[in-house]
Amino acid sequence: MQTNSLPPIAVVFLYIAIAAIIVFRYSRKQRISIGRLWFAPLFLAAMGCLSIYETQQIVPVSPLILALSLAVGAALGVPFGYLRGEHTSVTPTDTPGTMMLGPSWVVPAIWVGAFALRAIIRSVAGTSALGMAIGDGSLAFATSALVVSSIAIYRKYQSELGAVSDVAA
């Protein structure tokens, strides 16, 4: 049976490229619009879903086990996302709908860690259904952490806007 998957070395380089982009993007102060705030979680969630779909084509996992692993991963990611959002400095800019975010090592650590954990589990557990489900749960962990951190950052932005308008009044 022939699959249309990338050679292993190409996958390694793809993961390295994704990790480099994520590390670069989040390691410096950045000006970000509200739209871009939501783009990253949606894009990475889509990438995670695509990865899980591809995994299901290679090693199908019971829908119940897959749902359970995704739910556990997502639930574990919520506190990390909340902490990241709470510890990120957010400052409104002069442009409406735009803010400055302080650098954060948490996002790259979570995402690179989730993909690394997934790769390690795959190499140790092989193509077992349990190993695949745990690996997919790590992607749900990272996605939920990023979504929750975006919500926390957006709330901080709204709060900062309210504080700025109260001072101006």
Side-chain angles (χ1 to χ4, degrees):
M1 181 172 145
Q2 184 178 358
T3 62
N4 293 331
S5 63
L6 293 171
I9 193 71
V11 172
V12 169
F13 283 121
L14 179 64
Y15 281 169
I16 290 171
I18 290 170
I21 290 168
I22 290 171
V23 168
F24 175 75
R25 183 171 183 269
Y26 288 100
S27 64
R28 58 188 173 75
K29 195 171 185 178
Q30 60 183 318
R31 185 180 188 102
I32 186 170
S33 69
I34 293 173
R36 268 191 52 210
L37 177 69
W38 296 112
F39 175 76
L42 294 175
F43 175 74
L44 293 173
M47 294 297 292
C49 289
L50 179 64
S51 181
I52 291 167
Y53 173 79
E54 289 294 325
T55 300
Q56 283 292 95
Q57 302 307 306
I58 298 167
V59 180
V61 176
S62 156
L64 180 62
I65 291 173
L66 181 61
L68 182 62
S69 71
L70 294 176
V72 168
L76 292 174
V78 168
F80 283 91
Y82 178 76
L83 289 173
R84 187 267 171 156
E86 286 299 311
H87 293 286
T88 299
S89 63
V90 178
T91 309
T93 64
D94 295 336
T95 308
T98 306
M99 65 190 94
M100 286 299 276
L101 296 181
S104 174
W105 59 270
V106 177
V107 173
I110 289 173
W111 269 95
V112 171
F115 275 100
L117 177 64
R118 188 170 194 248
I120 290 167
I121 289 169
R122 280 185 164 183
S123 67
V124 170
T127 57
S128 72
L130 181 60
M132 294 295 179
I134 293 170
D136 292 341
S138 70
L139 293 181
F141 167 86
T143 301
S144 69
L146 191 53
V147 167
V148 169
S149 72
S150 293
I151 292 168
I153 288 169
Y154 181 74
R155 286 184 175 170
K156 282 179 85 173
Y157 171 70
Q158 291 295 320
S159 175
E160 289 291 324
L161 278 180
V164 168
S165 66
D166 288 344
V167 170

mmCIF file with all atom_site columns, all heavy atoms in Angstrom, residues 149-168:
data_model
loop_
_atom_site.group_PDB
_atom_site.id
_atom_site.type_symbol
_atom_site.label_atom_id
_atom_site.label_alt_id
_atom_site.label_comp_id
_atom_site.label_asym_id
_atom_site.label_entity_id
_atom_site.label_seq_id
_atom_site.pdbx_PDB_ins_code
_atom_site.Cartn_x
_atom_site.Cartn_y
_atom_site.Cartn_z
_atom_site.occupancy
_atom_site.B_iso_or_equiv
_atom_site.pdbx_formal_charge
_atom_site.auth_seq_id
_atom_site.auth_comp_id
_atom_site.auth_asym_id
_atom_site.auth_atom_id
_atom_site.pdbx_PDB_model_num
ATOM 1   N N   . SER A 1 149 ? -5.327  31.805 25.648 1.00 0.00 ? 149 SER A N   1
ATOM 2   C CA  . SER A 1 149 ? -4.449  32.964 25.827 1.00 0.00 ? 149 SER A CA  1
ATOM 3   C C   . SER A 1 149 ? -4.915  34.136 24.975 1.00 0.00 ? 149 SER A C   1
ATOM 4   O O   . SER A 1 149 ? -4.846  35.290 25.411 1.00 0.00 ? 149 SER A O   1
ATOM 5   C CB  . SER A 1 149 ? -2.992  32.613 25.518 1.00 0.00 ? 149 SER A CB  1
ATOM 6   O OG  . SER A 1 149 ? -2.788  32.424 24.139 1.00 0.00 ? 149 SER A OG  1
ATOM 7   N N   . SER A 1 150 ? -5.431  33.865 23.777 1.00 0.00 ? 150 SER A N   1
ATOM 8   C CA  . SER A 1 150 ? -5.962  34.948 22.942 1.00 0.00 ? 150 SER A CA  1
ATOM 9   C C   . SER A 1 150 ? -7.169  35.608 23.600 1.00 0.00 ? 150 SER A C   1
ATOM 10  O O   . SER A 1 150 ? -7.318  36.826 23.557 1.00 0.00 ? 150 SER A O   1
ATOM 11  C CB  . SER A 1 150 ? -6.340  34.424 21.554 1.00 0.00 ? 150 SER A CB  1
ATOM 12  O OG  . SER A 1 150 ? -5.180  34.031 20.853 1.00 0.00 ? 150 SER A OG  1
ATOM 13  N N   . ILE A 1 151 ? -8.008  34.802 24.216 1.00 0.00 ? 151 ILE A N   1
ATOM 14  C CA  . ILE A 1 151 ? -9.170  35.353 24.926 1.00 0.00 ? 151 ILE A CA  1
ATOM 15  C C   . ILE A 1 151 ? -8.704  36.228 26.089 1.00 0.00 ? 151 ILE A C   1
ATOM 16  O O   . ILE A 1 151 ? -9.198  37.345 26.279 1.00 0.00 ? 151 ILE A O   1
ATOM 17  C CB  . ILE A 1 151 ? -10.097 34.218 25.421 1.00 0.00 ? 151 ILE A CB  1
ATOM 18  C CG1 . ILE A 1 151 ? -10.760 33.518 24.230 1.00 0.00 ? 151 ILE A CG1 1
ATOM 19  C CG2 . ILE A 1 151 ? -11.151 34.752 26.403 1.00 0.00 ? 151 ILE A CG2 1
ATOM 20  C CD1 . ILE A 1 151 ? -11.470 32.220 24.583 1.00 0.00 ? 151 ILE A CD1 1
ATOM 21  N N   . ALA A 1 152 ? -7.735  35.740 26.863 1.00 0.00 ? 152 ALA A N   1
ATOM 22  C CA  . ALA A 1 152 ? -7.222  36.512 28.004 1.00 0.00 ? 152 ALA A CA  1
ATOM 23  C C   . ALA A 1 152 ? -6.556  37.806 27.534 1.00 0.00 ? 152 ALA A C   1
ATOM 24  O O   . ALA A 1 152 ? -6.735  38.863 28.148 1.00 0.00 ? 152 ALA A O   1
ATOM 25  C CB  . ALA A 1 152 ? -6.246  35.672 28.820 1.00 0.00 ? 152 ALA A CB  1
ATOM 26  N N   . ILE A 1 153 ? -5.803  37.730 26.440 1.00 0.00 ? 153 ILE A N   1
ATOM 27  C CA  . ILE A 1 153 ? -5.152  38.936 25.904 1.00 0.00 ? 153 ILE A CA  1
ATOM 28  C C   . ILE A 1 153 ? -6.193  39.925 25.415 1.00 0.00 ? 153 ILE A C   1
ATOM 29  O O   . ILE A 1 153 ? -6.085  41.129 25.666 1.00 0.00 ? 153 ILE A O   1
ATOM 30  C CB  . ILE A 1 153 ? -4.162  38.553 24.783 1.00 0.00 ? 153 ILE A CB  1
ATOM 31  C CG1 . ILE A 1 153 ? -2.943  37.873 25.395 1.00 0.00 ? 153 ILE A CG1 1
ATOM 32  C CG2 . ILE A 1 153 ? -3.758  39.773 23.957 1.00 0.00 ? 153 ILE A CG2 1
ATOM 33  C CD1 . ILE A 1 153 ? -2.024  37.221 24.389 1.00 0.00 ? 153 ILE A CD1 1
ATOM 34  N N   . TYR A 1 154 ? -7.215  39.438 24.731 1.00 0.00 ? 154 TYR A N   1
ATOM 35  C CA  . TYR A 1 154 ? -8.270  40.328 24.243 1.00 0.00 ? 154 TYR A CA  1
ATOM 36  C C   . TYR A 1 154 ? -8.972  41.011 25.422 1.00 0.00 ? 154 TYR A C   1
ATOM 37  O O   . TYR A 1 154 ? -9.254  42.213 25.366 1.00 0.00 ? 154 TYR A O   1
ATOM 38  C CB  . TYR A 1 154 ? -9.268  39.556 23.383 1.00 0.00 ? 154 TYR A CB  1
ATOM 39  C CG  . TYR A 1 154 ? -10.353 40.439 22.840 1.00 0.00 ? 154 TYR A CG  1
ATOM 40  C CD1 . TYR A 1 154 ? -10.092 41.335 21.798 1.00 0.00 ? 154 TYR A CD1 1
ATOM 41  C CD2 . TYR A 1 154 ? -11.636 40.408 23.367 1.00 0.00 ? 154 TYR A CD2 1
ATOM 42  C CE1 . TYR A 1 154 ? -11.077 42.162 21.306 1.00 0.00 ? 154 TYR A CE1 1
ATOM 43  C CE2 . TYR A 1 154 ? -12.630 41.228 22.867 1.00 0.00 ? 154 TYR A CE2 1
ATOM 44  C CZ  . TYR A 1 154 ? -12.352 42.104 21.844 1.00 0.00 ? 154 TYR A CZ  1
ATOM 45  O OH  . TYR A 1 154 ? -13.338 42.922 21.359 1.00 0.00 ? 154 TYR A OH  1
ATOM 46  N N   . ARG A 1 155 ? -9.230  40.271 26.477 1.00 0.00 ? 155 ARG A N   1
ATOM 47  C CA  . ARG A 1 155 ? -9.860  40.869 27.665 1.00 0.00 ? 155 ARG A CA  1
ATOM 48  C C   . ARG A 1 155 ? -8.960  41.931 28.292 1.00 0.00 ? 155 ARG A C   1
ATOM 49  O O   . ARG A 1 155 ? -9.437  42.974 28.732 1.00 0.00 ? 155 ARG A O   1
ATOM 50  C CB  . ARG A 1 155 ? -10.220 39.786 28.676 1.00 0.00 ? 155 ARG A CB  1
ATOM 51  C CG  . ARG A 1 155 ? -11.412 38.975 28.249 1.00 0.00 ? 155 ARG A CG  1
ATOM 52  C CD  . ARG A 1 155 ? -11.803 37.996 29.304 1.00 0.00 ? 155 ARG A CD  1
ATOM 53  N NE  . ARG A 1 155 ? -13.021 37.307 28.922 1.00 0.00 ? 155 ARG A NE  1
ATOM 54  C CZ  . ARG A 1 155 ? -13.508 36.257 29.544 1.00 0.00 ? 155 ARG A CZ  1
ATOM 55  N NH1 . ARG A 1 155 ? -12.878 35.779 30.606 1.00 0.00 ? 155 ARG A NH1 1
ATOM 56  N NH2 . ARG A 1 155 ? -14.608 35.693 29.134 1.00 0.00 ? 155 ARG A NH2 1
ATOM 57  N N   . LYS A 1 156 ? -7.660  41.663 28.349 1.00 0.00 ? 156 LYS A N   1
ATOM 58  C CA  . LYS A 1 156 ? -6.730  42.661 28.880 1.00 0.00 ? 156 LYS A CA  1
ATOM 59  C C   . LYS A 1 156 ? -6.725  43.903 27.998 1.00 0.00 ? 156 LYS A C   1
ATOM 60  O O   . LYS A 1 156 ? -6.687  45.030 28.502 1.00 0.00 ? 156 LYS A O   1
ATOM 61  C CB  . LYS A 1 156 ? -5.316  42.086 28.968 1.00 0.00 ? 156 LYS A CB  1
ATOM 62  C CG  . LYS A 1 156 ? -5.108  41.176 30.142 1.00 0.00 ? 156 LYS A CG  1
ATOM 63  C CD  . LYS A 1 156 ? -3.706  40.629 30.164 1.00 0.00 ? 156 LYS A CD  1
ATOM 64  C CE  . LYS A 1 156 ? -2.789  41.594 30.853 1.00 0.00 ? 156 LYS A CE  1
ATOM 65  N NZ  . LYS A 1 156 ? -1.438  41.036 31.057 1.00 0.00 ? 156 LYS A NZ  1
ATOM 66  N N   . TYR A 1 157 ? -6.774  43.697 26.690 1.00 0.00 ? 157 TYR A N   1
ATOM 67  C CA  . TYR A 1 157 ? -6.810  44.817 25.751 1.00 0.00 ? 157 TYR A CA  1
ATOM 68  C C   . TYR A 1 157 ? -8.057  45.662 25.994 1.00 0.00 ? 157 TYR A C   1
ATOM 69  O O   . TYR A 1 157 ? -7.973  46.887 26.089 1.00 0.00 ? 157 TYR A O   1
ATOM 70  C CB  . TYR A 1 157 ? -6.777  44.293 24.321 1.00 0.00 ? 157 TYR A CB  1
ATOM 71  C CG  . TYR A 1 157 ? -7.015  45.340 23.264 1.00 0.00 ? 157 TYR A CG  1
ATOM 72  C CD1 . TYR A 1 157 ? -6.069  46.326 23.009 1.00 0.00 ? 157 TYR A CD1 1
ATOM 73  C CD2 . TYR A 1 157 ? -8.187  45.338 22.514 1.00 0.00 ? 157 TYR A CD2 1
ATOM 74  C CE1 . TYR A 1 157 ? -6.283  47.287 22.032 1.00 0.00 ? 157 TYR A CE1 1
ATOM 75  C CE2 . TYR A 1 157 ? -8.411  46.293 21.538 1.00 0.00 ? 157 TYR A CE2 1
ATOM 76  C CZ  . TYR A 1 157 ? -7.458  47.262 21.299 1.00 0.00 ? 157 TYR A CZ  1
ATOM 77  O OH  . TYR A 1 157 ? -7.677  48.211 20.341 1.00 0.00 ? 157 TYR A OH  1
ATOM 78  N N   . GLN A 1 158 ? -9.206  45.019 26.132 1.00 0.00 ? 158 GLN A N   1
ATOM 79  C CA  . GLN A 1 158 ? -10.451 45.739 26.395 1.00 0.00 ? 158 GLN A CA  1
ATOM 80  C C   . GLN A 1 158 ? -10.373 46.482 27.728 1.00 0.00 ? 158 GLN A C   1
ATOM 81  O O   . GLN A 1 158 ? -10.831 47.616 27.840 1.00 0.00 ? 158 GLN A O   1
ATOM 82  C CB  . GLN A 1 158 ? -11.644 44.764 26.396 1.00 0.00 ? 158 GLN A CB  1
ATOM 83  C CG  . GLN A 1 158 ? -11.964 44.193 25.046 1.00 0.00 ? 158 GLN A CG  1
ATOM 84  C CD  . GLN A 1 158 ? -12.431 45.258 24.072 1.00 0.00 ? 158 GLN A CD  1
ATOM 85  O OE1 . GLN A 1 158 ? -13.174 46.171 24.418 1.00 0.00 ? 158 GLN A OE1 1
ATOM 86  N NE2 . GLN A 1 158 ? -11.972 45.144 22.838 1.00 0.00 ? 158 GLN A NE2 1
ATOM 87  N N   . SER A 1 159 ? -9.780  45.845 28.717 1.00 0.00 ? 159 SER A N   1
ATOM 88  C CA  . SER A 1 159 ? -9.630  46.481 30.026 1.00 0.00 ? 159 SER A CA  1
ATOM 89  C C   . SER A 1 159 ? -8.709  47.693 29.939 1.00 0.00 ? 159 SER A C   1
ATOM 90  O O   . SER A 1 159 ? -8.987  48.741 30.533 1.00 0.00 ? 159 SER A O   1
ATOM 91  C CB  . SER A 1 159 ? -9.075  45.461 31.022 1.00 0.00 ? 159 SER A CB  1
ATOM 92  O OG  . SER A 1 159 ? -8.811  46.064 32.251 1.00 0.00 ? 159 SER A OG  1
ATOM 93  N N   . GLU A 1 160 ? -7.601  47.557 29.200 1.00 0.00 ? 160 GLU A N   1
ATOM 94  C CA  . GLU A 1 160 ? -6.660  48.680 29.021 1.00 0.00 ? 160 GLU A CA  1
ATOM 95  C C   . GLU A 1 160 ? -7.337  49.824 28.264 1.00 0.00 ? 160 GLU A C   1
ATOM 96  O O   . GLU A 1 160 ? -7.106  50.984 28.577 1.00 0.00 ? 160 GLU A O   1
ATOM 97  C CB  . GLU A 1 160 ? -5.407  48.229 28.267 1.00 0.00 ? 160 GLU A CB  1
ATOM 98  C CG  . GLU A 1 160 ? -4.509  47.326 29.075 1.00 0.00 ? 160 GLU A CG  1
ATOM 99  C CD  . GLU A 1 160 ? -3.835  48.045 30.229 1.00 0.00 ? 160 GLU A CD  1
ATOM 100 O OE1 . GLU A 1 160 ? -3.478  49.235 30.067 1.00 0.00 ? 160 GLU A OE1 1
ATOM 101 O OE2 . GLU A 1 160 ? -3.663  47.420 31.277 1.00 0.00 ? 160 GLU A OE2 1
ATOM 102 N N   . LEU A 1 161 ? -8.163  49.498 27.285 1.00 0.00 ? 161 LEU A N   1
ATOM 103 C CA  . LEU A 1 161 ? -8.895  50.536 26.546 1.00 0.00 ? 161 LEU A CA  1
ATOM 104 C C   . LEU A 1 161 ? -9.825  51.289 27.485 1.00 0.00 ? 161 LEU A C   1
ATOM 105 O O   . LEU A 1 161 ? -9.919  52.512 27.416 1.00 0.00 ? 161 LEU A O   1
ATOM 106 C CB  . LEU A 1 161 ? -9.717  49.933 25.400 1.00 0.00 ? 161 LEU A CB  1
ATOM 107 C CG  . LEU A 1 161 ? -8.986  49.634 24.105 1.00 0.00 ? 161 LEU A CG  1
ATOM 108 C CD1 . LEU A 1 161 ? -9.968  49.039 23.093 1.00 0.00 ? 161 LEU A CD1 1
ATOM 109 C CD2 . LEU A 1 161 ? -8.331  50.857 23.538 1.00 0.00 ? 161 LEU A CD2 1
ATOM 110 N N   . GLY A 1 162 ? -10.497 50.545 28.361 1.00 0.00 ? 162 GLY A N   1
ATOM 111 C CA  . GLY A 1 162 ? -11.388 51.178 29.333 1.00 0.00 ? 162 GLY A CA  1
ATOM 112 C C   . GLY A 1 162 ? -10.616 52.078 30.281 1.00 0.00 ? 162 GLY A C   1
ATOM 113 O O   . GLY A 1 162 ? -11.060 53.162 30.617 1.00 0.00 ? 162 GLY A O   1
ATOM 114 N N   . ALA A 1 163 ? -9.423  51.632 30.724 1.00 0.00 ? 163 ALA A N   1
ATOM 115 C CA  . ALA A 1 163 ? -8.612  52.435 31.632 1.00 0.00 ? 163 ALA A CA  1
ATOM 116 C C   . ALA A 1 163 ? -8.115  53.699 30.942 1.00 0.00 ? 163 ALA A C   1
ATOM 117 O O   . ALA A 1 163 ? -8.068  54.765 31.550 1.00 0.00 ? 163 ALA A O   1
ATOM 118 C CB  . ALA A 1 163 ? -7.433  51.606 32.152 1.00 0.00 ? 163 ALA A CB  1
ATOM 119 N N   . VAL A 1 164 ? -7.760  53.590 29.645 1.00 0.00 ? 164 VAL A N   1
ATOM 120 C CA  . VAL A 1 164 ? -7.276  54.744 28.899 1.00 0.00 ? 164 VAL A CA  1
ATOM 121 C C   . VAL A 1 164 ? -8.405  55.755 28.719 1.00 0.00 ? 164 VAL A C   1
ATOM 122 O O   . VAL A 1 164 ? -8.215  56.955 28.890 1.00 0.00 ? 164 VAL A O   1
ATOM 123 C CB  . VAL A 1 164 ? -6.692  54.312 27.529 1.00 0.00 ? 164 VAL A CB  1
ATOM 124 C CG1 . VAL A 1 164 ? -6.452  55.517 26.626 1.00 0.00 ? 164 VAL A CG1 1
ATOM 125 C CG2 . VAL A 1 164 ? -5.404  53.547 27.735 1.00 0.00 ? 164 VAL A CG2 1
ATOM 126 N N   . SER A 1 165 ? -9.614  55.258 28.420 1.00 0.00 ? 165 SER A N   1
ATOM 127 C CA  . SER A 1 165 ? -10.717 56.186 28.207 1.00 0.00 ? 165 SER A CA  1
ATOM 128 C C   . SER A 1 165 ? -11.148 56.842 29.521 1.00 0.00 ? 165 SER A C   1
ATOM 129 O O   . SER A 1 165 ? -11.597 57.967 29.546 1.00 0.00 ? 165 SER A O   1
ATOM 130 C CB  . SER A 1 165 ? -11.898 55.491 27.511 1.00 0.00 ? 165 SER A CB  1
ATOM 131 O OG  . SER A 1 165 ? -12.449 54.497 28.373 1.00 0.00 ? 165 SER A OG  1
ATOM 132 N N   . ASP A 1 166 ? -11.011 56.107 30.648 1.00 0.00 ? 166 ASP A N   1
ATOM 133 C CA  . ASP A 1 166 ? -11.344 56.702 31.951 1.00 0.00 ? 166 ASP A CA  1
ATOM 134 C C   . ASP A 1 166 ? -10.357 57.806 32.305 1.00 0.00 ? 166 ASP A C   1
ATOM 135 O O   . ASP A 1 166 ? -10.744 58.840 32.869 1.00 0.00 ? 166 ASP A O   1
ATOM 136 C CB  . ASP A 1 166 ? -11.300 55.625 33.054 1.00 0.00 ? 166 ASP A CB  1
ATOM 137 C CG  . ASP A 1 166 ? -12.469 54.653 32.945 1.00 0.00 ? 166 ASP A CG  1
ATOM 138 O OD1 . ASP A 1 166 ? -13.452 54.969 32.236 1.00 0.00 ? 166 ASP A OD1 1
ATOM 139 O OD2 . ASP A 1 166 ? -12.392 53.575 33.582 1.00 0.00 ? 166 ASP A OD2 1
ATOM 140 N N   . VAL A 1 167 ? -9.088  57.614 31.970 1.00 0.00 ? 167 VAL A N   1
ATOM 141 C CA  . VAL A 1 167 ? -8.077  58.625 32.257 1.00 0.00 ? 167 VAL A CA  1
ATOM 142 C C   . VAL A 1 167 ? -8.295  59.861 31.388 1.00 0.00 ? 167 VAL A C   1
ATOM 143 O O   . VAL A 1 167 ? -8.136  60.992 31.834 1.00 0.00 ? 167 VAL A O   1
ATOM 144 C CB  . VAL A 1 167 ? -6.649  58.042 32.039 1.00 0.00 ? 167 VAL A CB  1
ATOM 145 C CG1 . VAL A 1 167 ? -5.598  59.138 32.099 1.00 0.00 ? 167 VAL A CG1 1
ATOM 146 C CG2 . VAL A 1 167 ? -6.372  56.967 33.068 1.00 0.00 ? 167 VAL A CG2 1
ATOM 147 N N   . ALA A 1 168 ? -8.680  59.632 30.130 1.00 0.00 ? 168 ALA A N   1
ATOM 148 C CA  . ALA A 1 168 ? -8.887  60.744 29.191 1.00 0.00 ? 168 ALA A CA  1
ATOM 149 C C   . ALA A 1 168 ? -10.114 61.576 29.571 1.00 0.00 ? 168 ALA A C   1
ATOM 150 O O   . ALA A 1 168 ? -10.189 62.755 29.256 1.00 0.00 ? 168 ALA A O   1
ATOM 151 C CB  . ALA A 1 168 ? -9.033  60.215 27.762 1.00 0.00 ? 168 ALA A CB  1
#
